[in-house]
Amino acid sequence: MDRGGGAVTTPASGSDPVLITGAARSYEEQLASRKRKYVIMMACRIPCLIAAGLTYHVWWLALGFLAISVPLPWIAVLIANDRPPRKAEDVNRYEREPKAIEGTSHRVIDG
């Protein structure tokens, strides 16, 4: 008896894939993205150091390039080790109406 479940064997009518879950990106994708950010930031440090060496005769400009290049490794490590924030999820909870206590008096039987 087939109940209609199972894997989808034919694609949807459009060329776009059907989103079936709100799951986060996989760990491998997150790691690749963080590695890419780290490499880009560290690659920006080398030109800053070279520019500081080339502009040593203009001391304030060389100092500016050095000031940019010194904290870059620290910032790159912080960004590379930071995971993306979790999604805010709205939890659908059932909240029933509280029942009111009756205000009428009842006959009490002592016995």
Side-chain angles (χ1 to χ4, degrees):
M1 181 173 170
D2 186 23
R3 296 185 185 252
V8 177
T9 56
T10 58
S13 60
S15 62
D16 295 333
V18 178
L19 179 65
I20 59 171
T21 181
R25 294 180 2 195
S26 70
Y27 176 75
E28 289 80 17
E29 289 175 353
Q30 291 177 12
L31 183 62
S33 173
R34 294 191 326 241
K35 281 182 183 179
R36 192 170 33 254
K37 288 178 187 176
Y38 178 80
V39 168
I40 290 170
M41 291 187 76
M42 291 307 288
C44 290
R45 183 174 190 222
I46 296 168
C48 283
L49 290 173
I50 292 171
L54 293 175
T55 59
Y56 71 92
H57 54 280
V58 183
W59 67 270
W60 58 269
L61 190 57
L63 190 61
F65 283 124
L66 281 175
I68 291 171
S69 69
V70 167
L72 270 179
W74 177 68
I75 294 170
V77 168
L78 285 179
I79 290 175
N81 287 335
D82 189 25
R83 291 182 49 195
R86 291 185 178 181
K87 289 183 181 179
E89 296 180 10
D90 288 333
V91 179
N92 190 10
R93 294 192 175 132
Y94 173 73
E95 294 181 17
R96 63 181 177 88
E97 293 289 326
K99 294 184 179 179
I101 299 175
E102 289 184 55
T104 60
S105 61
H106 295 282
R107 190 175 95 198
V108 178
I109 301 174
D110 289 327

